[in-house]
Amino acid sequence: ATQSEEKDLVIIGGGVAGYVAAIKAGQEGMKVACIEKRGTLGGTCLNVGCIPSKSLLNNSHLYHQILHDTKHRGIEVGDVKLNLQQLMKAKDTSVNGLTKGVEFLLKKNGVEYIKGTGSFQDEHTIKVELNDGGETSVTGKNILIATGSEVTPFPGLTIDEKTVISSTGAIALEKVPEKLVVIGGGIIGLEMASVWSRLGSKVTVVEYLDQIGGPGMDTEVAKGIQKILKKQGINFKTGTKVLSGEKTGEEVKVQVEAAKGGKEETLDADVVLVAIGRRPYTGGLGLENIGLEVDERGRVIIDSEYRTKIPHIRCVGDATFGPMLAHKAEEEAVAVVEYIKKGYGHVNYGCIPSVMYTFPEVAWVGQSEQDLKKADIPYRVGTFPFSANSRAKTNLDTEGFVKILADPETDRLLGIHIIGPNAGEMIAEGTLALEYGASSEDIARTCHAHPTLSEAFKEAAMATHAKAIHF
Ligand code: FAD
Ligand code: NAD
């Protein structure tokens, strides 16, 4: 085994958390090594998560729109055919371009990229089993655990990525399933249900709770988007629990019953997607070798400066607390390097946006109505529908609304919730406003260009403390 010079920072994992920390630390003049076992950088997000799923969402939406949403716009199209292989190739091109781009950025910032699996030998030494064979070790003054997450399995249903799939299989199917059953109506479930339903599958989403959308989505918004997705052809079974699943040859039978108990029902599928959440991944890291513990949900235990109980070993991203989102991992990655280098850093956990990339998109930041009710916080609501927004009307995409929640006394923003075309871009404005402690009147008095979708945001703010003009 060879050993390289001691680093200021050794990072285990080259996902969003790991690679962003590596670049930032390189920029700060630190000597950095980043260990990644996948063979490419970018982690779940770039390889099998955010990026490939958005490629499929974008192109399946185009296909669906050309099939069903052109005639009344004055566009007559001829023979429209799906070329699934090419759709997947377009996805792979985006992924490859981005992961190579990250590799270039690491090189540019002087980071040593080690392709292999890292594990703790002692508190400062990481042993690496190299992907190309052999072993090395690297020592660091500081170590960052950025090993991410993996799919939570459903007991009794073994994932083979062909008939019983996780999101990784769902972005790489070789043919469009006739019948797709999705277990879990969270973000992954709904994004993947959208893709395959648009491409022709008969999709049924089974969700344990009474509301879809996963944790954090405002109930009114969840109900609104469920109605829209149902109109698009997706079948929902909410308040329903999956009891078991059985694979027989090419088919899967999924046994379900009402969550509160009741009649059992069997759903037939040729593909079942397990999308009931993700769990931190620390397998094979050798945390036990240095006495580091995880909590009951597998999360690496850290303090407010991302330190484990061994202070020079820190953890950020999906492997620890907080929402499993790429931009949250990225914020933490920058902050953790600042803590190491300067002694202070900053992430505002009350101000992390969420986006679901269905059509229309769903986006939110801050607290939901149910959050506020639960915490007994008084609030005022202002809403504005896209059916009253000139640009949405012009584009013939009028589904959805903007909803703003503000403090009734001070008018300070508490939460912003949007269903609508481009909601994922529009939420940036809401996030900035929330971060700066704006009031709904601040937004209402800010001039917004006409005709834009963002006028709906301004008018929802007007409706929060006074009245909207166009509704
Ligand atoms: P990861 O991205 O999981 O990276 C960890 C890396 O560490 C992996 O590459 C792994 O191979 C490596 N690793 C683990 N152990 C070792 C070891 N011992 N040695 C060496 N390397 C190791 N988030 C969003 O914000 N927006 C989205 O649109 C979005 N879409 C998603 C879609 C899907 C289908 C999925 C599954 C997730 C999506 N996410 C999205 C979530 C997002 O992917 C994660 O929050 C993000 O990837 C977390 O980054 P991370 O670096 O903490 O972990
Ligand atoms: P999730 O936690 O968002 O949703 C899981 C859903 O499954 C929940 O609604 C839950 O009630 C339901 N569920 C759990 N057990 C069940 C059971 N036995 N039967 C029926 N339903 C059950 O998890 P996910 O959708 O798997 O996504 C994992 C993570 O990846 C999330 O943290 C998510 O934020 C992230 N992600 C984000 C994006 C995005 O930002 N656009 C996209 C994909 C994934």
Side-chain angles (χ1 to χ4, degrees), residues 11-19 35-38 40-51 53-54 114 116-119 146-150 167-168 171 187-188 191-192 278 281-285 316-319 323-329 353 355 357:
I11 301 165
I12 313 172
V16 177
Y19 91 70
I35 306 161
E36 170 57 59
K37 66 177 180 177
R38 189 184 295 269
T40 52
L41 291 163
T44 304
C45 179
L46 269 67
N47 290 281
V48 290
C50 329
I51 297 302
S53 62
K54 265 81 257 179
I114 306 173
T117 305
S119 61
T147 49
S149 62
E150 61 177 356
S167 54
T168 302
I171 55 160
I187 307 275
I188 292 186
E191 288 187 350
M192 288 301 120
R278 292 178 63 82
Y281 177 71
T282 51
L285 246 191
V316 294
D318 280 11
M324 290 186 174
L325 293 171
H327 43 279
K328 172 264 193 187
V355 181
Y357 298 84

Short mmCIF file of all heavy atoms in Angstrom, two decimals, residues 11-19 35-38 40-51 53-54 114 116-119 146-150 167-168 171 187-188 191-192 278 281-285 316-319 323-329 353 355 357, ligand 1:
data_model
loop_
_atom_site.label_atom_id
_atom_site.label_comp_id
_atom_site.label_asym_id
_atom_site.label_seq_id
_atom_site.Cartn_x
_atom_site.Cartn_y
_atom_site.Cartn_z
N ILE A 11 -12.18 13.72 2.40
CA ILE A 11 -13.63 13.62 2.27
C ILE A 11 -13.98 12.22 1.78
O ILE A 11 -13.44 11.76 0.77
CB ILE A 11 -14.15 14.67 1.26
CG1 ILE A 11 -13.77 16.08 1.74
CG2 ILE A 11 -15.66 14.56 1.08
CD1 ILE A 11 -13.91 17.16 0.68
N ILE A 12 -14.90 11.55 2.49
CA ILE A 12 -15.35 10.22 2.04
C ILE A 12 -16.70 10.41 1.37
O ILE A 12 -17.69 10.74 2.02
CB ILE A 12 -15.46 9.22 3.20
CG1 ILE A 12 -14.20 9.28 4.08
CG2 ILE A 12 -15.68 7.80 2.67
CD1 ILE A 12 -14.31 8.47 5.35
N GLY A 13 -16.74 10.21 0.06
CA GLY A 13 -17.97 10.42 -0.72
C GLY A 13 -17.81 11.60 -1.65
O GLY A 13 -17.43 12.70 -1.21
N GLY A 14 -18.09 11.37 -2.92
CA GLY A 14 -17.96 12.45 -3.92
C GLY A 14 -19.30 12.84 -4.50
O GLY A 14 -19.42 13.19 -5.67
N GLY A 15 -20.37 12.80 -3.65
CA GLY A 15 -21.68 13.30 -4.06
C GLY A 15 -21.70 14.81 -3.95
O GLY A 15 -20.65 15.46 -3.82
N VAL A 16 -22.90 15.39 -3.96
CA VAL A 16 -23.00 16.85 -3.90
C VAL A 16 -22.32 17.38 -2.64
O VAL A 16 -21.55 18.34 -2.68
CB VAL A 16 -24.47 17.30 -3.94
CG1 VAL A 16 -24.58 18.81 -3.81
CG2 VAL A 16 -25.12 16.85 -5.24
N ALA A 17 -22.58 16.70 -1.50
CA ALA A 17 -21.97 17.14 -0.24
C ALA A 17 -20.45 17.08 -0.34
O ALA A 17 -19.74 18.04 -0.03
CB ALA A 17 -22.47 16.27 0.91
N GLY A 18 -19.94 15.94 -0.80
CA GLY A 18 -18.50 15.71 -0.82
C GLY A 18 -17.77 16.56 -1.86
O GLY A 18 -16.77 17.21 -1.55
N TYR A 19 -18.30 16.60 -3.08
CA TYR A 19 -17.55 17.32 -4.11
C TYR A 19 -17.58 18.84 -3.90
O TYR A 19 -16.60 19.53 -4.18
CB TYR A 19 -17.96 16.89 -5.53
CG TYR A 19 -19.06 17.67 -6.19
CD1 TYR A 19 -18.88 18.99 -6.62
CD2 TYR A 19 -20.31 17.09 -6.45
CE1 TYR A 19 -19.91 19.71 -7.23
CE2 TYR A 19 -21.33 17.79 -7.06
CZ TYR A 19 -21.12 19.11 -7.45
OH TYR A 19 -22.12 19.81 -8.05
N ILE A 35 -12.58 10.84 -1.72
CA ILE A 35 -12.63 9.41 -2.05
C ILE A 35 -14.05 9.06 -2.53
O ILE A 35 -15.02 9.34 -1.83
CB ILE A 35 -12.30 8.55 -0.81
CG1 ILE A 35 -10.96 8.98 -0.20
CG2 ILE A 35 -12.28 7.07 -1.16
CD1 ILE A 35 -10.78 8.54 1.25
N GLU A 36 -14.15 8.48 -3.70
CA GLU A 36 -15.48 8.09 -4.22
C GLU A 36 -15.38 6.72 -4.85
O GLU A 36 -14.50 6.45 -5.66
CB GLU A 36 -15.97 9.13 -5.23
CG GLU A 36 -17.21 8.73 -6.02
CD GLU A 36 -18.43 8.39 -5.15
OE1 GLU A 36 -18.88 9.24 -4.38
OE2 GLU A 36 -18.95 7.25 -5.26
N LYS A 37 -16.35 5.86 -4.49
CA LYS A 37 -16.27 4.46 -4.94
C LYS A 37 -17.04 4.18 -6.23
O LYS A 37 -16.84 3.15 -6.87
CB LYS A 37 -16.75 3.54 -3.84
CG LYS A 37 -18.22 3.67 -3.49
CD LYS A 37 -18.59 2.64 -2.42
CE LYS A 37 -20.05 2.75 -2.06
NZ LYS A 37 -20.46 1.74 -1.09
N ARG A 38 -17.95 5.10 -6.60
CA ARG A 38 -18.87 4.86 -7.72
C ARG A 38 -18.17 4.77 -9.07
O ARG A 38 -18.68 4.16 -10.01
CB ARG A 38 -19.89 6.01 -7.74
CG ARG A 38 -21.06 5.85 -8.67
CD ARG A 38 -21.90 7.11 -8.64
NE ARG A 38 -22.51 7.35 -7.34
CZ ARG A 38 -23.72 6.89 -6.98
NH1 ARG A 38 -24.42 6.20 -7.84
NH2 ARG A 38 -24.20 7.14 -5.79
N THR A 40 -17.63 7.51 -10.77
CA THR A 40 -17.88 8.87 -11.27
C THR A 40 -18.25 9.75 -10.08
O THR A 40 -18.73 9.25 -9.06
CB THR A 40 -19.06 8.92 -12.28
OG1 THR A 40 -20.19 8.26 -11.67
CG2 THR A 40 -18.72 8.22 -13.58
N LEU A 41 -18.05 11.05 -10.24
CA LEU A 41 -18.38 11.98 -9.15
C LEU A 41 -19.85 12.43 -9.27
O LEU A 41 -20.52 12.15 -10.25
CB LEU A 41 -17.44 13.18 -9.21
CG LEU A 41 -15.98 12.84 -8.85
CD1 LEU A 41 -15.03 13.95 -9.32
CD2 LEU A 41 -15.83 12.61 -7.35
N GLY A 42 -20.32 13.14 -8.25
CA GLY A 42 -21.68 13.69 -8.31
C GLY A 42 -22.70 12.90 -7.50
O GLY A 42 -23.82 13.37 -7.30
N GLY A 43 -22.33 11.69 -7.06
CA GLY A 43 -23.19 10.94 -6.14
C GLY A 43 -24.54 10.56 -6.72
O GLY A 43 -24.73 10.47 -7.94
N THR A 44 -25.48 10.35 -5.80
CA THR A 44 -26.85 9.99 -6.18
C THR A 44 -27.43 11.04 -7.11
O THR A 44 -28.02 10.73 -8.13
CB THR A 44 -27.72 9.90 -4.90
OG1 THR A 44 -27.11 8.98 -4.00
CG2 THR A 44 -29.13 9.46 -5.21
N CYS A 45 -27.27 12.30 -6.72
CA CYS A 45 -27.93 13.40 -7.44
C CYS A 45 -27.59 13.40 -8.93
O CYS A 45 -28.47 13.37 -9.78
CB CYS A 45 -27.55 14.72 -6.78
SG CYS A 45 -28.29 16.13 -7.60
N LEU A 46 -26.30 13.42 -9.24
CA LEU A 46 -25.93 13.54 -10.65
C LEU A 46 -26.06 12.22 -11.41
O LEU A 46 -26.39 12.21 -12.59
CB LEU A 46 -24.48 14.06 -10.79
CG LEU A 46 -24.37 15.58 -10.89
CD1 LEU A 46 -24.79 16.25 -9.61
CD2 LEU A 46 -22.97 16.00 -11.25
N ASN A 47 -25.78 11.10 -10.73
CA ASN A 47 -25.74 9.82 -11.44
C ASN A 47 -27.10 9.13 -11.55
O ASN A 47 -27.44 8.62 -12.60
CB ASN A 47 -24.75 8.88 -10.74
CG ASN A 47 -23.31 9.35 -10.94
OD1 ASN A 47 -22.73 9.12 -11.99
ND2 ASN A 47 -22.75 10.03 -9.94
N VAL A 48 -27.85 9.09 -10.44
CA VAL A 48 -29.10 8.31 -10.45
C VAL A 48 -30.26 9.06 -9.77
O VAL A 48 -31.26 8.44 -9.40
CB VAL A 48 -28.91 6.93 -9.76
CG1 VAL A 48 -28.03 6.02 -10.60
CG2 VAL A 48 -28.33 7.08 -8.35
N GLY A 49 -30.12 10.36 -9.57
CA GLY A 49 -31.15 11.10 -8.82
C GLY A 49 -31.67 12.30 -9.58
O GLY A 49 -32.29 12.19 -10.64
N CYS A 50 -31.39 13.48 -9.01
CA CYS A 50 -31.92 14.75 -9.54
C CYS A 50 -31.79 14.87 -11.05
O CYS A 50 -32.77 15.15 -11.74
CB CYS A 50 -31.16 15.95 -8.95
SG CYS A 50 -30.53 15.75 -7.29
N ILE A 51 -30.59 14.67 -11.56
CA ILE A 51 -30.31 14.99 -12.96
C ILE A 51 -30.97 14.02 -13.95
O ILE A 51 -31.76 14.45 -14.80
CB ILE A 51 -28.78 15.12 -13.19
CG1 ILE A 51 -28.22 16.28 -12.35
CG2 ILE A 51 -28.44 15.28 -14.66
CD1 ILE A 51 -28.84 17.65 -12.63
N SER A 53 -33.45 12.04 -13.44
CA SER A 53 -34.91 12.08 -13.31
C SER A 53 -35.48 13.33 -13.99
O SER A 53 -36.52 13.28 -14.62
CB SER A 53 -35.35 11.99 -11.85
OG SER A 53 -34.87 13.08 -11.10
N LYS A 54 -34.75 14.44 -13.88
CA LYS A 54 -35.26 15.66 -14.52
C LYS A 54 -35.15 15.60 -16.03
O LYS A 54 -35.98 16.18 -16.75
CB LYS A 54 -34.53 16.90 -13.98
CG LYS A 54 -35.28 17.58 -12.85
CD LYS A 54 -35.08 16.94 -11.50
CE LYS A 54 -36.19 16.11 -10.97
NZ LYS A 54 -35.90 15.52 -9.66
N ILE A 114 -9.58 10.22 -5.35
CA ILE A 114 -9.18 8.82 -5.21
C ILE A 114 -10.39 7.93 -5.49
O ILE A 114 -11.41 8.01 -4.80
CB ILE A 114 -8.63 8.53 -3.79
CG1 ILE A 114 -7.49 9.51 -3.46
CG2 ILE A 114 -8.14 7.09 -3.68
CD1 ILE A 114 -6.99 9.42 -2.02
N GLY A 116 -12.16 4.81 -5.07
CA GLY A 116 -12.15 3.61 -4.25
C GLY A 116 -13.08 3.75 -3.06
O GLY A 116 -13.77 4.76 -2.90
N THR A 117 -13.11 2.69 -2.22
CA THR A 117 -14.00 2.67 -1.05
C THR A 117 -13.20 2.99 0.20
O THR A 117 -12.23 2.30 0.51
CB THR A 117 -14.65 1.27 -0.92
OG1 THR A 117 -15.30 0.98 -2.16
CG2 THR A 117 -15.66 1.23 0.21
N GLY A 118 -13.62 4.00 0.91
CA GLY A 118 -12.89 4.44 2.10
C GLY A 118 -13.49 3.87 3.37
O GLY A 118 -14.70 3.69 3.47
N SER A 119 -12.62 3.57 4.34
CA SER A 119 -13.11 3.18 5.66
C SER A 119 -12.11 3.64 6.73
O SER A 119 -10.91 3.80 6.45
CB SER A 119 -13.33 1.67 5.75
OG SER A 119 -12.12 1.00 5.55
N ALA A 146 -19.30 12.07 3.96
CA ALA A 146 -20.32 12.58 3.02
C ALA A 146 -20.78 11.40 2.17
O ALA A 146 -20.75 11.45 0.94
CB ALA A 146 -19.72 13.68 2.16
N THR A 147 -21.21 10.33 2.86
CA THR A 147 -21.48 9.07 2.18
C THR A 147 -22.93 8.92 1.73
O THR A 147 -23.30 7.90 1.14
CB THR A 147 -21.10 7.87 3.08
OG1 THR A 147 -21.68 8.10 4.39
CG2 THR A 147 -19.59 7.76 3.23
N GLY A 148 -23.78 9.92 1.99
CA GLY A 148 -25.11 9.96 1.38
C GLY A 148 -26.11 8.98 1.92
O GLY A 148 -26.10 8.62 3.12
N SER A 149 -26.99 8.52 1.02
CA SER A 149 -28.12 7.68 1.44
C SER A 149 -28.38 6.58 0.41
O SER A 149 -27.82 6.59 -0.67
CB SER A 149 -29.36 8.56 1.57
OG SER A 149 -29.68 9.13 0.31
N GLU A 150 -29.26 5.66 0.81
CA GLU A 150 -29.68 4.58 -0.09
C GLU A 150 -31.17 4.37 0.07
O GLU A 150 -31.77 4.86 1.03
CB GLU A 150 -28.93 3.28 0.26
CG GLU A 150 -29.22 2.82 1.68
CD GLU A 150 -28.56 1.50 2.07
OE1 GLU A 150 -27.92 0.87 1.22
OE2 GLU A 150 -28.72 1.11 3.24
N SER A 167 -35.71 3.88 -7.39
CA SER A 167 -35.63 4.98 -8.37
C SER A 167 -34.53 4.71 -9.39
O SER A 167 -34.63 5.14 -10.55
CB SER A 167 -35.40 6.30 -7.65
OG SER A 167 -34.27 6.21 -6.80
N THR A 168 -33.49 3.98 -8.99
CA THR A 168 -32.38 3.70 -9.91
C THR A 168 -32.86 2.87 -11.10
O THR A 168 -32.49 3.13 -12.24
CB THR A 168 -31.24 2.99 -9.16
OG1 THR A 168 -30.83 3.85 -8.09
CG2 THR A 168 -30.04 2.71 -10.04
N ILE A 171 -35.27 4.93 -13.57
CA ILE A 171 -34.72 5.86 -14.57
C ILE A 171 -34.01 5.10 -15.69
O ILE A 171 -33.34 5.70 -16.51
CB ILE A 171 -33.76 6.89 -13.93
CG1 ILE A 171 -32.65 6.18 -13.15
CG2 ILE A 171 -34.49 7.87 -13.04
CD1 ILE A 171 -31.43 7.03 -12.92
N ILE A 187 -42.06 12.35 -3.11
CA ILE A 187 -41.54 13.05 -4.29
C ILE A 187 -41.06 12.07 -5.36
O ILE A 187 -41.39 12.21 -6.55
CB ILE A 187 -40.38 14.00 -3.91
CG1 ILE A 187 -40.81 14.94 -2.78
CG2 ILE A 187 -39.89 14.76 -5.11
CD1 ILE A 187 -41.52 16.18 -3.18
N ILE A 188 -40.29 11.05 -4.97
CA ILE A 188 -39.79 10.10 -5.97
C ILE A 188 -40.97 9.39 -6.63
O ILE A 188 -41.04 9.30 -7.86
CB ILE A 188 -38.84 9.06 -5.33
CG1 ILE A 188 -37.55 9.76 -4.89
CG2 ILE A 188 -38.54 7.91 -6.29
CD1 ILE A 188 -36.46 8.83 -4.38
N GLU A 191 -42.80 11.85 -9.05
CA GLU A 191 -42.02 12.21 -10.25
C GLU A 191 -41.93 11.01 -11.21
O GLU A 191 -42.13 11.15 -12.41
CB GLU A 191 -40.62 12.70 -9.85
CG GLU A 191 -40.64 14.07 -9.18
CD GLU A 191 -39.26 14.68 -8.92
OE1 GLU A 191 -38.22 13.97 -9.07
OE2 GLU A 191 -39.21 15.86 -8.54
N MET A 192 -41.65 9.83 -10.66
CA MET A 192 -41.52 8.66 -11.53
C MET A 192 -42.87 8.21 -12.08
O MET A 192 -42.97 7.75 -13.21
CB MET A 192 -40.84 7.52 -10.76
CG MET A 192 -39.37 7.76 -10.51
SD MET A 192 -38.50 7.96 -12.09
CE MET A 192 -37.84 9.58 -11.90
N ARG A 278 -35.66 7.24 1.82
CA ARG A 278 -34.25 6.84 1.75
C ARG A 278 -33.66 6.87 3.15
O ARG A 278 -34.18 7.54 4.03
CB ARG A 278 -33.47 7.76 0.80
CG ARG A 278 -33.91 7.58 -0.66
CD ARG A 278 -33.19 8.52 -1.60
NE ARG A 278 -31.75 8.33 -1.66
CZ ARG A 278 -31.16 7.41 -2.41
NH1 ARG A 278 -31.86 6.58 -3.17
NH2 ARG A 278 -29.84 7.29 -2.42
N TYR A 281 -26.55 6.26 4.45
CA TYR A 281 -25.70 5.13 4.07
C TYR A 281 -24.33 5.27 4.72
O TYR A 281 -23.58 6.20 4.40
CB TYR A 281 -25.56 5.08 2.54
CG TYR A 281 -24.64 3.97 2.09
CD1 TYR A 281 -25.03 2.64 2.18
CD2 TYR A 281 -23.37 4.25 1.60
CE1 TYR A 281 -24.19 1.62 1.80
CE2 TYR A 281 -22.52 3.23 1.21
CZ TYR A 281 -22.94 1.92 1.31
OH TYR A 281 -22.10 0.91 0.94
N THR A 282 -24.01 4.35 5.64
CA THR A 282 -22.68 4.38 6.26
C THR A 282 -22.08 2.98 6.28
O THR A 282 -21.11 2.72 6.99
CB THR A 282 -22.75 4.94 7.71
OG1 THR A 282 -23.76 4.22 8.42
CG2 THR A 282 -23.05 6.41 7.75
N GLY A 283 -22.67 2.10 5.45
CA GLY A 283 -22.21 0.70 5.41
C GLY A 283 -20.74 0.59 5.04
O GLY A 283 -20.28 1.27 4.12
N GLY A 284 -20.00 -0.25 5.75
CA GLY A 284 -18.61 -0.52 5.40
C GLY A 284 -17.64 0.62 5.72
O GLY A 284 -16.45 0.56 5.41
N LEU A 285 -18.14 1.66 6.38
CA LEU A 285 -17.29 2.83 6.68
C LEU A 285 -16.35 2.57 7.86
O LEU A 285 -15.39 3.30 8.06
CB LEU A 285 -18.19 4.01 7.06
CG LEU A 285 -18.25 5.23 6.16
CD1 LEU A 285 -18.99 6.35 6.87
CD2 LEU A 285 -16.87 5.69 5.71
N VAL A 316 -21.86 15.80 6.71
CA VAL A 316 -22.90 16.64 6.09
C VAL A 316 -23.66 15.84 5.03
O VAL A 316 -23.22 14.77 4.62
CB VAL A 316 -22.32 17.92 5.44
CG1 VAL A 316 -21.73 18.87 6.47
CG2 VAL A 316 -21.27 17.58 4.37
N GLY A 317 -24.78 16.40 4.58
CA GLY A 317 -25.56 15.78 3.49
C GLY A 317 -26.55 14.74 3.98
O GLY A 317 -26.96 14.74 5.14
N ASP A 318 -26.91 13.83 3.10
CA ASP A 318 -27.95 12.83 3.39
C ASP A 318 -27.57 11.89 4.53
O ASP A 318 -28.45 11.26 5.11
CB ASP A 318 -28.20 11.95 2.15
CG ASP A 318 -29.11 12.60 1.12
OD1 ASP A 318 -29.40 13.80 1.24
OD2 ASP A 318 -29.53 11.89 0.18
N ALA A 319 -26.26 11.75 4.82
CA ALA A 319 -25.83 10.81 5.85
C ALA A 319 -26.18 11.29 7.26
O ALA A 319 -26.06 10.54 8.22
CB ALA A 319 -24.32 10.56 5.74
N PRO A 323 -33.48 17.52 5.74
CA PRO A 323 -34.09 17.02 4.51
C PRO A 323 -33.04 16.47 3.55
O PRO A 323 -31.93 17.00 3.45
CB PRO A 323 -34.77 18.27 3.91
CG PRO A 323 -34.10 19.43 4.53
CD PRO A 323 -33.63 18.99 5.88
N MET A 324 -33.39 15.39 2.85
CA MET A 324 -32.44 14.78 1.90
C MET A 324 -32.58 15.49 0.56
O MET A 324 -33.27 15.03 -0.34
CB MET A 324 -32.71 13.29 1.79
CG MET A 324 -32.31 12.54 3.04
SD MET A 324 -32.47 10.77 2.80
CE MET A 324 -31.76 10.16 4.33
N LEU A 325 -31.93 16.64 0.47
CA LEU A 325 -31.99 17.44 -0.75
C LEU A 325 -30.59 17.85 -1.16
O LEU A 325 -29.74 18.15 -0.30
CB LEU A 325 -32.84 18.70 -0.51
CG LEU A 325 -34.32 18.47 -0.24
CD1 LEU A 325 -35.01 19.76 0.19
CD2 LEU A 325 -35.01 17.89 -1.48
N ALA A 326 -30.37 17.90 -2.47
CA ALA A 326 -29.03 18.22 -2.97
C ALA A 326 -28.59 19.62 -2.56
O ALA A 326 -27.44 19.83 -2.16
CB ALA A 326 -29.03 18.09 -4.49
N HIS A 327 -29.52 20.59 -2.64
CA HIS A 327 -29.12 21.97 -2.31
C HIS A 327 -28.88 22.15 -0.82
O HIS A 327 -28.10 23.01 -0.42
CB HIS A 327 -30.12 23.00 -2.87
CG HIS A 327 -31.55 22.61 -2.69
ND1 HIS A 327 -32.20 21.74 -3.52
CD2 HIS A 327 -32.46 22.98 -1.76
CE1 HIS A 327 -33.45 21.60 -3.12
NE2 HIS A 327 -33.63 22.33 -2.05
N LYS A 328 -29.54 21.33 0.00
CA LYS A 328 -29.25 21.36 1.45
C LYS A 328 -27.83 20.81 1.67
O LYS A 328 -27.04 21.38 2.43
CB LYS A 328 -30.31 20.54 2.20
CG LYS A 328 -30.06 20.32 3.69
CD LYS A 328 -29.40 18.99 3.96
CE LYS A 328 -29.41 18.60 5.43
NZ LYS A 328 -28.60 17.37 5.66
N ALA A 329 -27.49 19.72 0.97
CA ALA A 329 -26.15 19.13 1.09
C ALA A 329 -25.09 20.14 0.66
O ALA A 329 -24.03 20.27 1.30
CB ALA A 329 -26.07 17.87 0.23
N PRO A 353 -35.72 25.58 0.15
CA PRO A 353 -36.87 25.31 -0.72
C PRO A 353 -36.99 23.84 -1.10
O PRO A 353 -35.99 23.11 -1.11
CB PRO A 353 -36.57 26.15 -1.97
CG PRO A 353 -35.08 26.31 -1.98
CD PRO A 353 -34.64 26.29 -0.54
N VAL A 355 -38.81 21.38 -4.20
CA VAL A 355 -39.48 21.43 -5.51
C VAL A 355 -39.81 20.01 -5.95
O VAL A 355 -38.97 19.13 -5.87
CB VAL A 355 -38.59 22.09 -6.59
CG1 VAL A 355 -39.32 22.14 -7.93
CG2 VAL A 355 -38.14 23.48 -6.18
N TYR A 357 -40.87 18.11 -9.37
CA TYR A 357 -40.81 18.48 -10.79
C TYR A 357 -41.84 17.75 -11.63
O TYR A 357 -41.55 17.24 -12.71
CB TYR A 357 -39.39 18.24 -11.32
CG TYR A 357 -38.37 19.11 -10.62
CD1 TYR A 357 -37.81 18.72 -9.39
CD2 TYR A 357 -37.98 20.33 -11.14
CE1 TYR A 357 -36.89 19.51 -8.73
CE2 TYR A 357 -37.06 21.14 -10.48
CZ TYR A 357 -36.52 20.71 -9.27
OH TYR A 357 -35.61 21.51 -8.62
P1 FAD B 1 -24.94 11.16 -2.28
O1 FAD B 1 -25.31 11.96 -3.45
O2 FAD B 1 -25.66 9.89 -2.04
O3 FAD B 1 -23.37 10.87 -2.41
C1 FAD B 1 -22.67 10.04 -1.57
C2 FAD B 1 -21.56 9.40 -2.35
O4 FAD B 1 -20.70 8.74 -1.44
C3 FAD B 1 -22.03 8.32 -3.33
O5 FAD B 1 -21.61 8.62 -4.63
C4 FAD B 1 -21.42 7.04 -2.81
O6 FAD B 1 -20.99 6.17 -3.85
C5 FAD B 1 -20.22 7.55 -2.02
N1 FAD B 1 -19.79 6.65 -0.94
C6 FAD B 1 -20.55 6.11 0.04
N2 FAD B 1 -19.79 5.40 0.89
C7 FAD B 1 -18.51 5.49 0.44
C8 FAD B 1 -17.26 4.99 0.88
N3 FAD B 1 -17.18 4.23 1.97
N4 FAD B 1 -16.17 5.28 0.16
C9 FAD B 1 -16.24 6.05 -0.96
N5 FAD B 1 -17.38 6.56 -1.43
C10 FAD B 1 -18.51 6.30 -0.74
N6 FAD B 1 -32.57 16.34 -4.42
C11 FAD B 1 -32.85 17.58 -4.86
O7 FAD B 1 -32.50 18.55 -4.20
N7 FAD B 1 -33.50 17.79 -6.03
C12 FAD B 1 -33.93 16.75 -6.80
O8 FAD B 1 -34.52 16.96 -7.86
C13 FAD B 1 -33.67 15.44 -6.36
N8 FAD B 1 -34.05 14.39 -7.10
C14 FAD B 1 -33.76 13.13 -6.67
C15 FAD B 1 -34.21 12.06 -7.43
C16 FAD B 1 -33.95 10.78 -7.03
C17 FAD B 1 -34.42 9.63 -7.88
C18 FAD B 1 -33.21 10.54 -5.84
C19 FAD B 1 -32.90 9.15 -5.40
C20 FAD B 1 -32.77 11.59 -5.06
C21 FAD B 1 -33.05 12.91 -5.47
N9 FAD B 1 -32.66 14.00 -4.72
C22 FAD B 1 -32.97 15.26 -5.15
C23 FAD B 1 -31.91 13.86 -3.46
C24 FAD B 1 -30.40 14.07 -3.70
O9 FAD B 1 -29.97 13.16 -4.68
C25 FAD B 1 -29.62 13.88 -2.41
O10 FAD B 1 -30.13 14.71 -1.41
C26 FAD B 1 -28.15 14.22 -2.62
O11 FAD B 1 -27.60 13.39 -3.60
C27 FAD B 1 -27.36 14.07 -1.31
O12 FAD B 1 -26.00 14.28 -1.53
P2 FAD B 1 -24.88 13.55 -0.66
O13 FAD B 1 -23.59 13.99 -1.24
O14 FAD B 1 -25.15 13.74 0.77
O15 FAD B 1 -25.08 12.00 -0.94
#
